[in-house]
Amino acid sequence: MVLADLGRKLTSALKSLNEATIVNGEVLNAMLKDVSGALLQADVNVKLVKQLRDNLTSAIDLEGMASGMNKRKMIQQAVFNELMQLLDPGVRIWTPTKRKTNVIMFVGLQGSGKTTTCSKLAYYYQKKGWKACLVCADTFRAGAFDQLKQNATKARIPFYGSDTEMDPVVIATVGVDKFKAEKFEIIVVDTSGRHKQEEALFEEMLQLSSAVKPDNIVYVMDASIGQACESQVKAFKDKVDVASVIITKLDGHAKGGGALSAVAATRSPVIFIGTGEHLGDLEPFKTKPFINKLLGMGDIEALVDTANELKLADTLKKGSFTLRDMYEQFQSFRSMGSVTHILGMIPGFGPDGMNEEDCQKKIKRMLVMMDSMNNHELDSEEGAKLFNKQPGRIQRVARGSGSEMADVHELLATYNRYAKAYKKMGGTKGVFKGGDMSKGVNPSQMAKLNQGLKMMDPRALQQMGGVAGYQSLMQQVQQGAAGSTKGKGPKKK
Ligand code: GDP
Ligand code: MG
């Protein structure tokens, strides 16, 4: 069972709560059994599942809940909290420092995805404007340097390596020194692996790490090896100072539960997850969105939470909708996994029957284009108009993102439709005029709200449970906004 299945099972377990007319001990037990079953099937460690179940049992005190409380909500929240606990390492996650040299050394077994992930990481920072480069210190695997060279060239990332030098320590030292002198901010050092844990490999890692003195050692954890992850990460941690973990291949058929168990057992801070073979398939790991994604997006409840996450409420309140708002929403879509679900919410996003993969690709392409925009463009209240007034910007964005000008036009058109729908729903002239959403909607506002419905894609409306669902969504969004201290959205840059 892959992670997406786990998500579906967990959601359906939680949903059974909603369907029960009364919540009693029996219902709770059945739900706990379903949740545990789903976790076990996803290959989450048995001991961990038992612990989670015990924690939940003691955390949920049905009798003690005041009668007015929403028991379903409290139980769902408890499950969410427990899952968060499981994956929260409780330590500060390492982040690089700007205008300083940050040396990041990768370790892991052969085939875990080190070389691919090194390139992805350098690419990730480069896109964010850091001066990033790659050093290939793998002299064990034939063709290792070629592989890195290829990735680096594709992404136009400076790299260092050697076809002739056989000592990885020499290569790493020379490479890191050279890039340090050139004031690179992110120096990623790729190392060799072996098919299994071997003393020779650990010895090599130890030598490399004393030579290049990395600021961060990243252990690359291959999700597809399941429960074996735990003993492996432990073995590496014993030898070198592993400070972060990147879990790879979470896109594939890996159950993922094994990797998650290893993370939980060793309290390893996961910094990124790999979700594909391409350079862009690397996502910062954030526990909350990750759990959200696991818990799926299937029901209206989740949709409301999402709406909160997406800062729909904030955006409505603010009254304007910038390209950056769209960027941040697209990013949240991606971190939530199944996008076809929510894409219906974007008016006119794509042809009917676009599959998950196409949708993901489209969103990603749009994000890449928006990555090539500058802050002024992203934050401008003028939105697409700015580009129409100065078409040179369109050309620049197209060039910067390796896309056609037609693609940028399409992106701007999507933005226009999107922004229009938002305005109708709650912009300055819309329902929540004045920005105070805590006061509730009066009937005349509701009438305006209903006008907003006409703007919406029928499929989106369907996703939200028809007109009634939409209205209840809007009401709940409001309530969310009224007590929005807990539903914080992503930080504004
Ligand atoms: P290394 O031996 O640790 O350097 O591993 P490589 O970087 O050479 O990767 C081994 C294989 O895993 C390659 O075929 C990669 O394309 C693939 N791979 C790496 N990361 C991911 C990922 O996140 N998802 C998928 N599907 N494949 C990945
Ligand atoms: Mg490699």
Side-chain angles (χ1 to χ4, degrees):
M1 185 168 78
V2 296
L3 280 180
D5 290 327
L6 171 63
R8 265 192 292 281
K9 293 231 159 129
L10 287 176
T11 318
S12 89
L14 291 174
K15 227 172 154 177
S16 63
L17 268 178
N18 285 336
E19 279 153 14
T21 36
I22 41 165
V23 181
N24 56 22
E26 215 172 294
V27 173
L28 179 63
N29 272 335
M31 191 270 318
L32 287 177
K33 202 168 147 228
D34 285 351
V35 167
S36 309
L39 291 167
L40 286 172
Q41 269 193 40
D43 200 25
V44 175
N45 186 294
V46 183
K47 270 189 272 172
L48 221 61
V49 175
K50 186 177 177 306
Q51 188 197 326
L52 187 118
R53 192 172 170 162
D54 291 347
N55 290 354
L56 276 172
T57 314
S58 57
I60 302 170
D61 173 15
L62 277 180
E63 258 104 78
M65 284 182 194
S67 55
M69 279 194 241
N70 185 338
K71 290 182 181 167
R72 297 180 176 88
K73 256 220 128 79
M74 297 197 56
I75 295 173
Q76 287 175 346
Q77 190 62 43
V79 174
F80 184 88
N81 289 348
E82 276 308 316
L83 291 172
M84 284 279 285
Q85 270 292 303
L86 202 70
L87 292 182
D88 184 359
V91 293
R92 206 178 67 84
I93 286 183
W94 181 85
T95 48
T97 315
K98 199 83 185 152
R99 282 179 295 279
K100 187 193 153 267
T101 297
N102 301 274
V103 179
I104 306 168
M105 175 177 149
F106 275 52
V107 299
L109 290 191
Q110 187 150 315
S112 58
K114 282 183 305 304
T115 305
T116 313
T117 313
C118 279
S119 318
K120 286 179 182 178
L121 191 74
Y123 179 66
Y124 175 87
Y125 281 110
Q126 177 176 277
K127 266 200 326 187
K128 287 194 168 294
W130 297 64
K131 212 173 157 197
C133 62
L134 286 161
V135 174
C136 173
D138 179 0
T139 53
F140 183 79
R141 185 183 193 163
F145 182 41
D146 280 339
Q147 187 193 357
L148 183 115
K149 200 153 67 176
Q150 229 172 43
N151 291 346
T153 312
K154 206 161 44 182
R156 300 201 208 110
I157 299 166
F159 60 93
Y160 180 83
S162 166
D163 285 320
T164 47
E165 174 60 60
M166 285 317 286
D167 185 351
V169 177
V170 171
I171 300 180
T173 315
V174 174
V176 169
D177 284 351
K178 164 184 141 71
F179 286 129
K180 263 188 178 166
E182 294 170 16
K183 302 248 179 304
F184 274 82
E185 294 170 298
I186 302 281
I187 305 177
V188 184
V189 183
D190 187 17
T191 65
S192 75
R194 303 288 189 274
H195 286 299
K196 53 186 177 56
Q197 301 163 30
E198 274 176 21
E199 219 26 69
L201 173 62
F202 291 134
E203 196 43 51
E204 186 174 317
M205 293 307 114
L206 208 55
Q207 283 180 16
L208 273 171
S209 116
S210 6
V212 303
K213 298 188 182 52
D215 298 283
N216 185 15
I217 298 184
V218 175
Y219 174 74
V220 178
M221 185 186 283
D222 177 348
S224 67
I225 65 169
Q227 298 285 333
C229 288
E230 188 178 326
S231 67
Q232 271 185 23
V233 68
K234 274 191 178 141
F236 274 91
K237 271 191 153 179
D238 275 353
K239 299 291 163 168
V240 285
D241 185 17
V242 172
S244 335
V245 167
I246 296 182
I247 307 180
T248 60
K249 309 185 194 177
L250 274 178
D251 53 307
H253 297 291
K255 289 179 174 177
L260 298 186
S261 305
V263 164
T266 57
R267 295 266 138 215
S268 301
V270 181
I271 50 172
F272 285 91
I273 54 175
T275 53
E277 298 192 41
H278 300 290
L279 269 176
D281 298 331
L282 186 75
E283 298 173 16
F285 180 81
K286 295 202 180 80
T287 319
K288 196 175 165 196
F290 183 79
I291 305 280
N292 265 342
K293 172 173 159 178
L294 264 192
L295 291 181
M297 295 298 312
D299 56 343
I300 187 82
E301 189 112 26
L303 202 61
V304 173
D305 286 347
T306 321
N308 286 337
E309 280 263 306
L310 299 181
K311 296 199 302 135
L312 177 60
D314 278 1
T315 312
L316 288 176
K317 214 160 157 180
K318 198 174 64 156
S320 68
F321 185 81
T322 60
L323 277 154
R324 189 187 300 281
D325 291 321
M326 184 160 91
Y327 181 90
E328 288 182 351
Q329 299 207 348
F330 280 11
Q331 258 188 339
S332 341
F333 289 166
R334 291 199 57 211
S335 67
M336 285 181 312
S338 170
V339 286
T340 32
H341 247 99
I342 2 179
L343 278 188
M345 287 169 75
I346 308 176
F349 185 79
D352 267 329
M354 239 168 118
N355 64 26
E356 182 71 33
E357 208 185 326
D358 291 341
C359 286
Q360 286 277 11
K361 271 196 196 134
K362 187 157 178 184
I363 287 217
K364 196 182 282 177
R365 257 204 326 270
M366 291 197 165
L367 283 170
V368 170
M369 284 189 266
M370 287 188 270
D371 272 328
S372 289
M373 294 179 178
N374 57 37
N375 285 339
H376 175 59
E377 288 158 352
L378 286 171
D379 296 322
S380 170
E381 305 258 311
E382 288 191 290
K385 264 194 223 128
L386 181 67
F387 290 84
N388 297 336
K389 282 200 296 202
Q390 297 162 346
R393 293 181 186 272
I394 296 182
Q395 203 172 14
R396 198 200 76 244
V397 168
R399 207 178 322 114
S401 58
S403 31
E404 302 292 326
M405 279 173 63
D407 297 329
V408 183
H409 280 292
E410 196 195 333
L411 167 77
L412 293 173
T414 301
Y415 163 78
N416 276 337
R417 278 195 298 270
Y418 210 155
K420 206 164 150 192
Y422 267 94
K423 257 200 194 113
K424 263 268 158 53
M425 274 161 70
T428 38
K429 296 188 202 81
V431 183
F432 302 113
K433 194 172 174 181
D436 186 0
M437 310 215 306
S438 58
K439 293 207 175 97
V441 216
N442 62 36
S444 86
Q445 284 176 317
M446 202 40 131
K448 281 191 200 158
L449 193 57
N450 288 339
Q451 276 181 3
L453 284 174
K454 298 199 189 98
M455 284 297 300
M456 299 199 63
D457 188 304
R459 276 171 301 151
L461 197 54
Q462 210 182 345
Q463 292 283 356
M464 292 182 181
V467 175
Y470 172 78
Q471 286 174 343
S472 106
L473 169 71
M474 291 314 293
Q475 258 158 4
Q476 295 189 57
V477 165
Q478 267 191 295
Q479 283 156 15
S484 66
T485 36
K486 58 182 163 59
K488 274 183 239 125
K491 272 213 187 70
K492 274 261 178 195
K493 274 141 272 168

